[in-house]
Amino acid sequence: MSINLDDFVIRRGQGSAGDEDKHYVHDQGISSASWSIQHNLNKFPSVEVVDSAGTVVIGEVSYTDVNNLTIDFISGFSGKAYLN
């Protein structure tokens, strides 16, 4: 018996309209130890932060509601937050 891998692969764009997961990129251009982000994703997204040099930074994420969150860090810096 042979297995067709195509039966197990989910391809982008084959689902119904609106099936793709929403995401948002926040650009924090001003150095700050607390980032307030309005993402309007209508969910509690996962968050990954990188500083302006591209280094991953860990912060404390607090969800205000399904469309807003705050990330607090030990010290201020600028960079990007990737929300998914």
Side-chain angles (χ1 to χ4, degrees):
M1 174 178 173
S2 69
I3 297 175
N4 184 351
L5 291 179
D6 289 335
D7 294 338
F8 298 97
V9 177
I10 299 172
R11 289 188 171 76
R12 188 190 250 319
Q14 284 190 330
S16 303
D19 279 353
E20 282 192 39
D21 196 18
K22 298 181 227 175
H23 64 278
Y24 177 78
V25 178
H26 173 76
D27 189 356
Q28 182 71 33
I30 299 172
S31 181
S32 179
S34 183
W35 297 8
S36 294
I37 301 174
Q38 180 179 4
H39 52 76
N40 295 324
L41 296 174
N42 200 34
K43 65 179 184 174
F44 298 103
S46 61
V47 179
E48 182 168 345
V49 176
V50 295
D51 64 15
S52 56
T55 303
V56 174
V57 180
I58 304 298
E60 183 175 333
V61 178
S62 301
Y63 296 95
T64 309
D65 57 39
V66 295
N67 291 309
N68 297 279
L69 60 85
T70 301
I71 312 171
D72 293 309
F73 305 97
I74 294 171
S75 61
F77 63 95
S78 60
K80 293 188 179 191
Y82 297 92
L83 286 60
N84 186 12

Coordinates of all heavy atoms in Angstrom, one line a residue:
M1 N 0.8 -1.2 0.0 CA 0.0 0.0 0.0 C 0.9 1.2 0.0 O 1.8 1.4 0.8 CB -0.9 0.0 1.3 CG -1.7 1.2 1.4 SD -2.7 1.0 2.9 CE -3.3 2.6 3.0
S2 N 0.6 2.1 -0.9 CA 1.4 3.4 -0.9 C 0.6 4.5 -0.3 O -0.7 4.5 -0.4 CB 1.8 3.7 -2.4 OG 0.7 4.1 -3.1
I3 N 1.3 5.5 0.2 CA 0.6 6.6 0.9 C 0.9 7.9 0.0 O 2.0 8.1 -0.4 CB 1.1 6.9 2.3 CG1 0.8 5.7 3.2 CG2 0.6 8.1 2.9 CD1 1.4 5.7 4.5
N4 N -0.2 8.6 -0.3 CA 0.0 9.8 -1.1 C 0.1 10.9 -0.1 O -0.9 11.3 0.6 CB -1.3 10.0 -2.0 CG -1.2 11.2 -2.9 OD1 -0.3 12.0 -2.7 ND2 -2.1 11.3 -3.8
L5 N 1.2 11.6 0.0 CA 1.4 12.6 1.0 C 0.5 13.8 0.7 O 0.2 14.6 1.6 CB 2.9 13.1 1.0 CG 3.9 12.1 1.5 CD1 5.3 12.6 1.5 CD2 3.5 11.7 2.9
D6 N 0.0 14.0 -0.5 CA -0.9 15.1 -0.9 C -2.1 15.0 0.0 O -2.8 16.0 0.2 CB -1.2 15.1 -2.3 CG -0.1 15.5 -3.2 OD1 0.8 16.2 -2.7 OD2 0.0 15.2 -4.4
D7 N -2.5 13.8 0.4 CA -3.7 13.7 1.3 C -3.5 14.3 2.7 O -4.4 14.5 3.4 CB -4.0 12.2 1.4 CG -4.5 11.6 0.1 OD1 -4.9 12.3 -0.8 OD2 -4.4 10.3 0.0
F8 N -2.2 14.5 3.1 CA -1.9 15.0 4.4 C -1.4 16.4 4.4 O -1.1 16.9 5.5 CB -0.9 14.0 5.1 CG -1.4 12.6 5.2 CD1 -1.1 11.7 4.3 CD2 -2.2 12.3 6.2 CE1 -1.6 10.4 4.4 CE2 -2.7 11.0 6.4 CZ -2.4 10.1 5.4
V9 N -1.2 17.0 3.3 CA -0.6 18.4 3.3 C -1.8 19.4 3.1 O -2.6 19.2 2.3 CB 0.4 18.5 2.1 CG1 0.9 19.9 2.0 CG2 1.5 17.5 2.2
I10 N -1.7 20.4 4.0 CA -2.7 21.5 3.9 C -2.0 22.6 3.2 O -1.0 23.1 3.6 CB -3.2 21.9 5.3 CG1 -3.9 20.8 6.0 CG2 -4.1 23.2 5.1 CD1 -4.2 21.1 7.4
R11 N -2.5 23.0 2.1 CA -1.9 24.0 1.2 C -2.6 25.4 1.5 O -3.8 25.4 1.7 CB -2.0 23.7 -0.2 CG -1.2 22.5 -0.6 CD -1.2 22.3 -2.1 NE -0.2 21.4 -2.5 CZ -0.3 20.1 -2.4 NH1 -1.3 19.5 -1.9 NH2 0.7 19.3 -2.9
R12 N -1.8 26.4 1.6 CA -2.3 27.7 1.8 C -3.2 28.1 0.6 O -2.9 27.8 -0.5 CB -1.1 28.7 1.7 CG -1.4 30.1 2.1 CD -0.2 31.0 1.9 NE 0.5 31.6 2.8 CZ 0.2 32.2 4.0 NH1 -1.0 32.1 4.4 NH2 1.1 32.8 4.8
G13 N -4.3 28.7 1.0 CA -5.3 29.1 0.0 C -6.3 28.1 -0.4 O -7.2 28.4 -1.2
Q14 N -6.3 26.9 0.1 CA -7.2 25.9 -0.3 C -8.5 25.9 0.6 O -9.4 25.3 0.3 CB -6.6 24.5 -0.3 CG -5.7 24.2 -1.5 CD -5.3 22.8 -1.6 OE1 -5.2 22.1 -0.6 NE2 -5.1 22.4 -2.8
G15 N -8.4 26.6 1.7 CA -9.5 26.6 2.6 C -10.5 27.6 2.2 O -10.4 28.3 1.2
S16 N -11.5 27.8 3.0 CA -12.5 28.8 2.7 C -11.9 30.2 2.9 O -11.0 30.4 3.7 CB -13.7 28.6 3.7 OG -14.3 27.4 3.5
A17 N -12.6 31.2 2.4 CA -12.1 32.6 2.6 C -12.2 32.9 4.1 O -13.1 32.5 4.8 CB -13.0 33.5 1.8
G18 N -11.1 33.5 4.6 CA -11.1 33.9 6.0 C -10.4 32.8 6.8 O -10.3 33.0 8.1
D19 N -10.0 31.7 6.3 CA -9.4 30.6 7.0 C -7.9 31.0 7.5 O -7.5 30.4 8.4 CB -9.3 29.3 6.3 CG -10.7 28.6 6.3 OD1 -11.6 29.0 7.0 OD2 -10.8 27.6 5.6
E20 N -7.3 31.9 6.8 CA -5.9 32.2 7.2 C -5.9 32.9 8.5 O -6.7 33.7 8.8 CB -5.3 33.1 6.1 CG -4.8 32.4 4.9 CD -4.0 33.2 4.0 OE1 -3.1 34.0 4.5 OE2 -4.2 33.1 2.8
D21 N -4.9 32.6 9.3 CA -4.7 33.2 10.6 C -4.3 34.7 10.5 O -3.5 35.0 9.6 CB -3.7 32.4 11.4 CG -3.8 32.7 12.9 OD1 -4.8 33.3 13.4 OD2 -2.8 32.4 13.6
K22 N -4.9 35.5 11.3 CA -4.6 36.9 11.3 C -3.2 37.2 12.0 O -2.9 36.5 13.0 CB -5.7 37.7 12.0 CG -7.0 37.6 11.3 CD -8.0 38.4 12.1 CE -9.3 37.7 12.3 NZ -10.2 38.4 13.2
H23 N -2.5 38.2 11.6 CA -1.3 38.6 12.3 C -1.1 40.1 12.2 O -1.8 40.8 11.5 CB -0.1 37.9 11.6 CG 0.1 38.3 10.2 ND1 -0.6 37.7 9.2 CD2 0.9 39.2 9.6 CE1 -0.2 38.3 8.0 NE2 0.7 39.2 8.3
Y24 N -0.2 40.6 13.0 CA 0.1 42.0 13.1 C 1.5 42.3 13.4 O 2.1 41.5 14.3 CB -0.8 42.7 14.1 CG -0.6 44.2 14.3 CD1 -1.1 45.1 13.4 CD2 0.1 44.6 15.4 CE1 -0.9 46.4 13.6 CE2 0.3 46.0 15.6 CZ -0.2 46.9 14.7 OH 0.0 48.2 14.9
V25 N 2.2 43.2 12.8 CA 3.5 43.6 13.2 C 3.5 45.0 13.7 O 3.0 46.0 13.1 CB 4.5 43.5 11.9 CG1 5.9 44.0 12.3 CG2 4.5 42.1 11.4
H26 N 4.0 45.2 15.0 CA 4.0 46.5 15.6 C 5.5 47.0 15.5 O 6.4 46.3 15.9 CB 3.6 46.3 17.1 CG 3.8 47.6 17.9 ND1 3.0 48.7 17.8 CD2 4.8 47.9 18.8 CE1 3.4 49.6 18.6 NE2 4.5 49.2 19.2
D27 N 5.6 48.2 15.0 CA 7.0 48.8 14.9 C 7.1 49.9 16.0 O 6.4 50.9 15.9 CB 7.1 49.5 13.5 CG 8.5 49.9 13.2 OD1 9.4 49.8 14.1 OD2 8.8 50.4 12.1
Q28 N 7.9 49.6 17.0 CA 8.1 50.5 18.1 C 9.4 51.3 17.8 O 10.5 50.9 18.0 CB 8.3 49.7 19.4 CG 8.5 50.6 20.6 CD 7.2 51.3 21.0 OE1 6.1 50.8 20.9 NE2 7.4 52.5 21.6
G29 N 9.2 52.5 17.1 CA 10.3 53.3 16.7 C 10.9 54.2 17.8 O 12.1 54.5 17.7
I30 N 10.2 54.4 18.9 CA 10.7 55.2 20.0 C 11.0 54.3 21.1 O 10.2 53.4 21.5 CB 9.6 56.2 20.5 CG1 9.3 57.2 19.3 CG2 10.1 57.0 21.7 CD1 8.1 58.1 19.6
S31 N 12.2 54.4 21.7 CA 12.7 53.5 22.7 C 11.8 53.7 24.0 O 11.5 54.8 24.4 CB 14.1 53.9 23.1 OG 14.6 53.1 24.1
S32 N 11.3 52.5 24.5 CA 10.4 52.5 25.6 C 10.5 51.2 26.4 O 10.8 50.1 25.7 CB 9.0 52.7 25.2 OG 8.1 52.7 26.3
A33 N 10.3 51.2 27.7 CA 10.3 50.0 28.5 C 8.9 49.4 28.6 O 8.7 48.3 29.1 CB 10.8 50.3 29.9
S34 N 7.9 50.1 28.0 CA 6.5 49.6 28.0 C 5.9 49.9 26.7 O 5.9 51.0 26.3 CB 5.7 50.2 29.1 OG 4.4 49.7 29.2
W35 N 5.5 48.8 26.0 CA 4.9 49.0 24.7 C 3.4 48.7 24.8 O 3.0 47.6 25.1 CB 5.5 48.0 23.6 CG 7.0 48.2 23.4 CD1 7.9 49.0 24.0 CD2 7.7 47.5 22.4 NE1 9.1 48.9 23.5 CE2 9.0 47.9 22.4 CE3 7.4 46.6 21.4 CZ2 10.0 47.5 21.6 CZ3 8.4 46.1 20.6 CH2 9.7 46.5 20.7
S36 N 2.6 49.7 24.4 CA 1.1 49.5 24.3 C 0.8 49.3 22.9 O 1.1 50.1 22.0 CB 0.4 50.7 24.9 OG 0.7 50.8 26.2
I37 N 0.1 48.1 22.6 CA -0.2 47.8 21.2 C -1.6 47.5 21.0 O -2.2 46.7 21.6 CB 0.6 46.5 20.8 CG1 2.1 46.7 21.0 CG2 0.3 46.1 19.4 CD1 3.0 45.5 20.8
Q38 N -2.2 48.3 20.0 CA -3.6 48.0 19.6 C -3.5 47.3 18.3 O -3.1 47.8 17.2 CB -4.4 49.3 19.4 CG -5.8 49.1 18.9 CD -6.6 50.4 18.7 OE1 -6.0 51.5 18.9 NE2 -7.8 50.2 18.4
H39 N -3.8 46.0 18.3 CA -3.6 45.1 17.1 C -4.9 44.8 16.3 O -4.9 44.5 15.2 CB -2.9 43.8 17.5 CG -3.6 43.1 18.6 ND1 -4.7 42.4 18.5 CD2 -3.3 43.0 19.9 CE1 -5.1 41.8 19.6 NE2 -4.2 42.2 20.5
N40 N -6.1 44.9 17.0 CA -7.4 44.7 16.4 C -7.5 43.3 15.7 O -8.1 43.2 14.7 CB -7.7 45.8 15.4 CG -7.9 47.1 16.1 OD1 -8.4 47.2 17.2 ND2 -7.4 48.2 15.5
L41 N -6.9 42.3 16.3 CA -7.0 40.9 15.8 C -8.1 40.2 16.3 O -8.4 39.1 15.8 CB -5.7 40.2 16.1 CG -4.4 40.7 15.4 CD1 -3.2 40.0 15.9 CD2 -4.5 40.6 13.9
N42 N -8.8 40.7 17.3 CA -10.0 40.1 17.9 C -9.6 38.7 18.5 O -10.4 37.7 18.3 CB -11.1 40.0 16.9 CG -12.5 39.8 17.7 OD1 -12.7 40.3 18.8 ND2 -13.4 39.0 17.0
K43 N -8.4 38.6 19.1 CA -8.0 37.4 19.7 C -6.8 37.7 20.7 O -6.3 38.8 20.7 CB -7.5 36.3 18.7 CG -6.3 36.7 17.9 CD -5.9 35.6 16.9 CE -4.7 36.0 16.1 NZ -4.2 34.8 15.3
F44 N -6.3 36.8 21.4 CA -5.2 36.9 22.3 C -4.0 36.3 21.6 O -3.7 35.1 21.7 CB -5.4 36.2 23.7 CG -6.6 36.8 24.4 CD1 -7.8 36.2 24.4 CD2 -6.5 38.1 25.1 CE1 -8.9 36.7 25.1 CE2 -7.5 38.6 25.7 CZ -8.7 38.0 25.8
P45 N -3.2 37.1 20.8 CA -2.2 36.5 19.9 C -0.9 36.1 20.7 O -0.6 36.6 21.8 CB -1.9 37.7 19.0 CG -2.2 38.9 19.8 CD -3.3 38.5 20.7
S46 N -0.2 35.2 20.1 CA 1.2 35.0 20.6 C 2.0 36.2 20.2 O 1.7 36.9 19.2 CB 1.7 33.7 20.0 OG 1.8 33.8 18.6
V47 N 3.1 36.4 20.9 CA 3.9 37.6 20.7 C 5.4 37.2 20.7 O 5.9 36.4 21.6 CB 3.7 38.6 21.9 CG1 4.6 39.8 21.7 CG2 2.2 39.0 22.0
E48 N 6.1 37.7 19.7 CA 7.6 37.6 19.7 C 8.1 39.0 19.4 O 7.7 39.7 18.5 CB 8.1 36.6 18.6 CG 9.6 36.5 18.7 CD 10.1 35.3 17.8 OE1 9.3 34.5 17.4 OE2 11.3 35.3 17.6
V49 N 9.1 39.4 20.2 CA 9.7 40.7 20.1 C 11.2 40.6 19.7 O 11.9 39.8 20.2 CB 9.6 41.5 21.5 CG1 10.3 42.8 21.4 CG2 8.1 41.6 21.9
V50 N 11.6 41.5 18.8 CA 13.0 41.6 18.5 C 13.4 43.1 18.6 O 12.6 44.0 18.3 CB 13.3 41.1 17.0 CG1 13.0 39.7 16.9 CG2 12.5 41.9 16.0
D51 N 14.6 43.3 19.1 CA 15.1 44.7 19.2 C 15.6 45.2 17.8 O 15.5 44.5 16.8 CB 16.2 44.9 20.2 CG 17.4 44.1 20.0 OD1 17.6 43.7 18.8 OD2 18.2 43.9 20.9
S52 N 16.0 46.5 17.7 CA 16.4 47.0 16.4 C 17.6 46.3 15.8 O 17.8 46.4 14.6 CB 16.7 48.5 16.6 OG 17.7 48.7 17.6
A53 N 18.4 45.5 16.6 CA 19.5 44.8 16.1 C 19.0 43.4 15.6 O 19.8 42.6 15.1 CB 20.6 44.6 17.1
G54 N 17.7 43.0 15.8 CA 17.2 41.7 15.4 C 17.3 40.6 16.5 O 17.1 39.5 16.2
T55 N 17.7 41.0 17.7 CA 17.8 40.0 18.8 C 16.5 39.8 19.5 O 15.8 40.8 19.8 CB 18.8 40.6 19.8 OG1 20.1 40.8 19.2 CG2 19.0 39.5 21.0
V56 N 16.1 38.6 19.7 CA 14.8 38.3 20.4 C 14.9 38.7 21.8 O 15.9 38.5 22.5 CB 14.5 36.7 20.3 CG1 13.3 36.4 21.1 CG2 14.3 36.3 18.9
V57 N 13.9 39.4 22.3 CA 13.8 40.0 23.6 C 12.6 39.4 24.3 O 11.5 39.3 23.7 CB 13.7 41.5 23.6 CG1 13.7 42.1 25.0 CG2 14.9 42.1 22.8
I58 N 12.7 39.1 25.6 CA 11.7 38.6 26.4 C 11.1 39.7 27.3 O 11.8 40.5 27.9 CB 12.1 37.4 27.4 CG1 12.8 36.3 26.6 CG2 11.0 36.9 28.2 CD1 12.0 35.6 25.6
G59 N 9.8 39.8 27.2 CA 9.1 40.8 28.0 C 7.8 40.2 28.7 O 7.5 39.0 28.3
E60 N 7.2 40.9 29.5 CA 5.9 40.4 30.2 C 4.7 41.0 29.4 O 4.5 42.2 29.4 CB 5.9 40.9 31.6 CG 4.7 40.3 32.4 CD 4.7 40.7 33.8 OE1 5.8 40.9 34.4 OE2 3.6 40.8 34.4
V61 N 4.0 40.1 28.8 CA 2.8 40.4 28.0 C 1.6 40.4 28.9 O 1.3 39.5 29.6 CB 2.6 39.5 26.8 CG1 1.4 39.8 26.0 CG2 3.8 39.4 25.9
S62 N 0.8 41.5 28.9 CA -0.5 41.7 29.6 C -1.5 42.0 28.6 O -1.4 43.0 27.8 CB -0.4 42.8 30.6 OG 0.6 42.5 31.5
Y63 N -2.5 41.1 28.5 CA -3.6 41.3 27.5 C -4.7 42.2 28.2 O -5.3 41.8 29.2 CB -4.2 40.0 27.1 CG -3.3 39.1 26.4 CD1 -2.5 38.2 27.0 CD2 -3.1 39.3 25.0 CE1 -1.6 37.4 26.3 CE2 -2.2 38.5 24.3 CZ -1.4 37.6 24.9 OH -0.6 36.8 24.2
T64 N -5.0 43.4 27.6 CA -6.0 44.3 28.1 C -7.4 43.7 27.7 O -8.3 43.7 28.5 CB -5.8 45.7 27.5 OG1 -4.5 46.1 27.7 CG2 -6.8 46.7 28.1
D65 N -7.5 43.3 26.4 CA -8.7 42.7 25.9 C -8.3 42.0 24.6 O -7.1 41.9 24.3 CB -9.8 43.7 25.6 CG -9.4 44.9 24.8 OD1 -8.7 44.7 23.8 OD2 -9.9 46.0 25.0
V66 N -9.2 41.6 23.8 CA -8.9 40.8 22.6 C -8.2 41.6 21.5 O -7.8 41.1 20.4 CB -10.1 40.0 22.0 CG1 -10.6 39.0 22.9 CG2 -11.2 41.0 21.6
N67 N -8.2 43.0 21.6 CA -7.6 43.8 20.6 C -6.4 44.7 21.1 O -5.9 45.5 20.3 CB -8.7 44.7 20.0 CG -9.7 44.0 19.2 OD1 -9.3 43.2 18.3 ND2 -11.0 44.1 19.5
N68 N -6.1 44.6 22.4 CA -5.0 45.4 22.9 C -4.2 44.6 23.9 O -4.7 43.8 24.6 CB -5.6 46.6 23.7 CG -6.4 47.5 22.8 OD1 -5.9 48.3 22.1 ND2 -7.7 47.3 22.8
L69 N -2.9 45.0 23.9 CA -2.0 44.3 24.9 C -0.8 45.3 25.2 O -0.6 46.3 24.5 CB -1.4 43.0 24.4 CG -0.6 43.0 23.1 CD1 0.9 43.3 23.4 CD2 -0.7 41.6 22.5
T70 N -0.1 45.0 26.3 CA 1.0 45.8 26.7 C 2.2 44.8 27.0 O 1.9 43.7 27.5 CB 0.7 46.6 28.0 OG1 -0.4 47.4 27.8 CG2 1.9 47.4 28.5
I71 N 3.4 45.2 26.6 CA 4.5 44.4 26.9 C 5.5 45.3 27.7 O 5.8 46.4 27.3 CB 5.3 44.0 25.6 CG1 4.3 43.4 24.6 CG2 6.4 42.9 25.9 CD1 4.9 43.1 23.2
D72 N 5.9 44.8 28.9 CA 6.8 45.5 29.7 C 8.2 44.8 29.7 O 8.2 43.5 29.8 CB 6.2 45.5 31.2 CG 5.0 46.4 31.2 OD1 5.0 47.5 30.8 OD2 4.0 45.9 31.8
F73 N 9.2 45.6 29.7 CA 10.6 45.1 29.6 C 11.4 45.7 30.8 O 11.0 46.7 31.4 CB 11.2 45.5 28.3 CG 10.5 45.1 27.1 CD1 9.6 45.9 26.4 CD2 10.6 43.8 26.6 CE1 8.9 45.5 25.3 CE2 9.9 43.3 25.5 CZ 9.1 44.2 24.8
I74 N 12.5 45.2 31.1 CA 13.4 45.7 32.1 C 14.0 47.1 31.8 O 14.1 47.9 32.7 CB 14.6 44.7 32.4 CG1 14.0 43.4 33.0 CG2 15.6 45.3 33.3 CD1 15.0 42.3 33.1
S75 N 14.3 47.3 30.5 CA 14.8 48.6 30.1 C 14.2 48.9 28.7 O 13.6 48.1 28.0 CB 16.3 48.6 30.0 OG 16.7 47.6 29.1
G76 N 14.3 50.2 28.4 CA 13.7 50.7 27.1 C 14.6 50.4 25.9 O 15.8 50.4 26.0
F77 N 13.9 50.1 24.8 CA 14.6 49.9 23.5 C 13.5 50.0 22.4 O 12.3 50.1 22.7 CB 15.3 48.5 23.4 CG 14.3 47.4 23.5 CD1 13.8 46.7 22.4 CD2 13.9 46.9 24.8 CE1 13.0 45.7 22.5 CE2 13.0 45.8 24.9 CZ 12.6 45.2 23.7
S78 N 13.9 50.1 21.2 CA 13.0 50.1 20.0 C 13.2 48.8 19.3 O 14.1 48.1 19.5 CB 13.3 51.3 19.1 OG 14.7 51.2 18.6
G79 N 12.2 48.5 18.5 CA 12.2 47.2 17.7 C 10.8 46.9 17.2 O 10.0 47.8 16.9
K80 N 10.5 45.6 17.0 CA 9.3 45.1 16.5 C 8.7 44.0 17.3 O 9.4 43.2 17.9 CB 9.5 44.6 15.0 CG 9.8 45.7 14.1 CD 9.8 45.2 12.7 CE 10.2 46.4 11.7 NZ 10.0 46.1 10.4
A81 N 7.4 44.0 17.4 CA 6.6 42.9 18.0 C 5.8 42.2 16.9 O 5.1 42.9 16.2 CB 5.7 43.4 19.1
Y82 N 6.0 40.9 16.8 CA 5.2 40.1 15.8 C 4.1 39.4 16.6 O 4.4 38.6 17.5 CB 6.2 39.1 15.1 CG 7.3 39.8 14.3 CD1 8.5 40.1 14.9 CD2 7.0 40.2 13.0 CE1 9.5 40.7 14.2 CE2 8.0 40.8 12.3 CZ 9.3 41.1 12.9 OH 10.2 41.8 12.2
L83 N 2.9 39.7 16.2 CA 1.7 39.1 16.8 C 1.0 38.1 15.9 O 0.8 38.5 14.7 CB 0.7 40.1 17.3 CG 1.1 41.0 18.5 CD1 2.4 41.7 18.3 CD2 0.0 41.9 18.9
N84 N 0.7 36.9 16.4 CA 0.0 35.9 15.5 C -1.0 35.2 16.3 O -0.9 34.8 17.4 CB 1.1 35.0 15.0 CG 0.5 34.0 14.0 OD1 -0.6 34.2 13.5 ND2 1.2 33.0 13.7

